[in-house]
Each structure stands twice: as structure tokens, then as C-alpha cells.
Amino acid sequence: MSRVVVTGRIPEAALEKLRAEHEVDAWAGPESISREELLRRVAGADAVVSLLTERIDAELLDAAGPQLKVVANVAVGYDNINVPACTERGVVATNTPGVLIDATADIALSLILMATRRLGEGERLIRSGEAWKWGMFFLLGSSLKGKTLGVVGMGGIGQATARRAKAFGMEIVYQSRSEIDPAVASELGARRVDLDELLAVSDVVSLHCPYGPATHHLIGAEQLAAMKDSAYLVNTARGPIVDEAALAAALRDGIIAGAGLDVYEQEPTVHPGLLDLDNVVLLPHLGSATVETRTAMAMLAADNALAVLSGNQPPAPIG
């Protein structure tokens, strides 16, 4: 029987699956586990089931010891994991792709609607108790029909977001490392362009690319200035893809019309320049936050860990 350390709270069904075969040490505190406590607990672990809030680096891998076989991240993103350090030590790193496509695409479309129709502003106005009156020019937003959605990163989530946007009558352009399936491109009427053209023609730019050195601050002051002043930026991918300081300035100065964010550069901290702006919608990383999706993520992470501990190939290895 192997020892499995779970770094944070996950759905009980996944814990039961792990406990059926192995000894499980699961952090159940209301707050995130401290670094000191995490390093203490992983000592001697054969598997670590990690959350995005925990940094899996050389220090942690060495604290765990040479018997560690697998790090199973309960997320599709894995910028919290030093994958080369895992590979160097013979540790298999895994993630949970696929299961959160629809939930994240739903949030992306929600942010598009909230930003373009100024729904956050309207909700805050009602809650403030301030007097208001219907009028022809009261909180005017922008419709989606006939507008262009630019998708940066046309993987599963990007395609699902495009499919939802098309149902609202939007035209689709995308920037991606490779062409998508021709059948999908035909279904969506999607046209592949470079990033410069996408920024210039899109009424909404939605980010779905992976995060890494090549995409750090992919959207900064120069790219924001290249967008239409009537355009909106939506980010449900990873926070550091956007230079938040540059975005705050662009929103303040009317360089773009608005934005919707579910992820942040220094999560959970949000750039203070964004907090007082009415033309940005701010969500606390809710992309995968449905009961069904989070359960599926945890179950896939458990399957990944169990497969490696049994000497088998995991369903979702990284790389």
C-alpha cells in the first residue's frame, strides 16, 4: 500500500477512490496548507495529488524523497508544477484536461455578456440603493450579433467558447499554433489569422492559450493599443498572460471599452488599478466551479495517481 498526500480539499468521491487502494493523508483545513506543513507532510509520499494553490518545485520534490512516483494536479493548467524537475527525478506529472471544457467556456461567454452588456455595473447600481430610472441611453451596452470574436488559443475550451459565441451570431477568427480540424473550422466558420490581425478586427478577444514563457504578458500595452477602442478583452486562461497594469491603464484611458477577468497575475491579489473601474468584470477564478466539473477533475487526478502507482500509463500525463 502506497502513501498518497492530497494537498487540499477535493470531492469525497475521489478520496474514497484513493483510500480503497492506498493510505491517504488529505489536508482538510479551511485555509490552504502552509508551505512548511506541506513540506512536512509530503516526506515519504509515493504520490502527491496537488491543487493549483501549491507550488510543486525542486524543494518539494526533494522533501518528498526518491520514492515519489507521481504528482497528479487537479487542474488542466500546471504552471504551479516544475515539470523538468519532476522529469529529472523520474516523477510523472499529470493534469486534468478535457473535463472542464464546457464549464470554462460557459464562464468565458458569461464574461463576454457581462462586459458587453454592462451587467456588473447594473447589478452594483441596484445593490447600492441609488435611485435610477429607465432611459433610452441608460447603461447602453453592445450587442454580439454580427460582431467578431477573436479566440487566442483554439484548443478545446477555445472551440467550445467559439461554438457558444456563434450561437449568438458572432463571426469567429482565431490565432493558434496550428490549424484546427477542417470540419470544426467549417462548422464555426472560423478563420485562422495572426495575432496582430486578430487584435485589429475583433470586437471581443477571448484568451484560451496555455501559459508559459512565450505567452507571459502576451497581451500588454502594445497589443491593447492595437485593439478597437470599442473592443473587449476576456481572460479565463491564466492571469500572467495579461499585463494587468497595462490593462488597467487601457481601461481607464478608453483604449478599449471593457474587460472580463476570471484569473489574475498574482492570484488571489488583483491589481489595485482594476478594482475601482466600472468597465471590468472581476470573478474569483470560477472557470471550473461546478459540482460536476470539480468532481470529474478530482476523479481524473485520482485515476492518474492510481495508474502510476500500479505501474501503468496515466490517462493524462503532462507532455
Side-chain angles (χ1 to χ4, degrees):
M1 181 176 286
S2 298
R3 181 167 176 267
V4 180
V5 172
V6 182
T7 69
R9 295 177 61 200
I10 64 173
E12 190 62 29
L15 289 176
E16 289 176 1
K17 190 167 197 174
L18 292 166
R19 286 174 180 143
E21 298 186 34
H22 300 289
E23 173 193 344
V24 176
D25 179 1
W27 175 255
E31 305 295 334
S32 295
I33 190 170
S34 70
R35 182 69 175 179
E36 181 182 16
E37 179 67 14
L38 177 60
L39 293 176
R40 185 185 70 80
R41 286 191 179 226
V42 298
D46 299 286
V48 173
V49 177
S50 57
L51 303 186
L52 274 176
T53 47
E54 277 68 68
R55 190 172 74 256
I56 308 300
D57 55 11
E59 179 187 37
L60 183 139
L61 297 170
D62 290 341
Q67 80 296 322
L68 182 66
K69 296 180 178 66
V70 57
V71 171
N73 213 36
V74 189
V76 64
Y78 49 87
D79 44 293
N80 60 311
I81 298 178
N82 186 330
V83 177
C86 289
T87 302
E88 182 182 332
R89 292 162 177 77
V91 176
V92 178
T94 70
N95 64 340
T96 61
V99 295
L100 45 63
I101 286 175
D102 285 326
T104 306
D106 286 347
I107 287 292
L109 186 67
S110 298
L111 284 169
I112 292 170
L113 288 167
M114 289 182 72
T116 58
R117 293 299 302 275
R118 302 175 65 180
L119 303 184
E121 291 179 69
E123 205 262 357
R124 286 192 295 275
L125 176 63
I126 293 293
R127 288 186 180 276
S128 74
E130 183 180 336
W132 62 277
K133 183 179 180 180
W134 185 91
M136 284 291 289
F137 301 98
F138 178 60
L139 283 180
L140 286 184
S142 175
S143 65
L144 299 181
K145 187 174 182 180
K147 302 295 176 59
T148 297
L149 173 69
V151 179
V152 180
M154 197 64 153
I157 298 172
Q159 290 178 30
T161 301
R163 194 167 284 114
R164 285 157 172 74
K166 185 172 178 60
F168 280 77
M170 298 191 79
E171 302 294 326
I172 310 297
V173 297
Y174 73 94
Q175 183 270 328
S176 195
R177 287 175 293 186
S178 57
E179 294 275 0
I180 61 174
D181 185 319
V184 175
S186 177
E187 171 204 348
L188 297 174
R191 181 170 60 93
R192 187 183 180 205
V193 298
D194 62 25
L195 183 60
D196 288 343
E197 182 177 351
L198 182 147
L199 294 171
V201 304
S202 297
D203 298 291
V204 178
V205 174
S206 191
L207 304 178
H208 302 284
C209 51
Y211 174 67
T215 56
H216 180 78
H217 284 188
L218 179 69
I219 304 299
E222 180 181 350
Q223 291 73 32
L224 292 163
M227 293 171 63
K228 299 177 181 180
D229 60 10
S230 58
Y232 297 81
L233 177 72
V234 167
N235 188 10
T236 56
R238 283 291 179 267
I241 294 171
V242 176
D243 180 340
E244 281 185 18
L247 176 60
L251 291 168
R252 182 193 66 222
D253 297 340
I255 303 299
I256 64 172
L261 306 177
D262 189 43
V263 289
Y264 306 93
E265 277 199 78
Q266 303 293 332
E267 203 165 298
T269 301
V270 179
H271 191 284
L274 295 170
L275 296 175
D276 294 329
L277 296 173
D278 274 331
N279 58 343
V280 59
V281 180
L282 305 171
L283 299 182
H285 204 145
L286 299 179
S288 63
T290 68
V291 171
E292 297 85 355
T293 300
R294 292 281 170 84
T295 299
M297 290 167 63
M299 294 296 277
L300 179 53
D303 288 340
N304 282 328
L306 291 173
V308 175
L309 292 174
S310 298
N312 298 316
Q313 182 74 1
I318 294 171

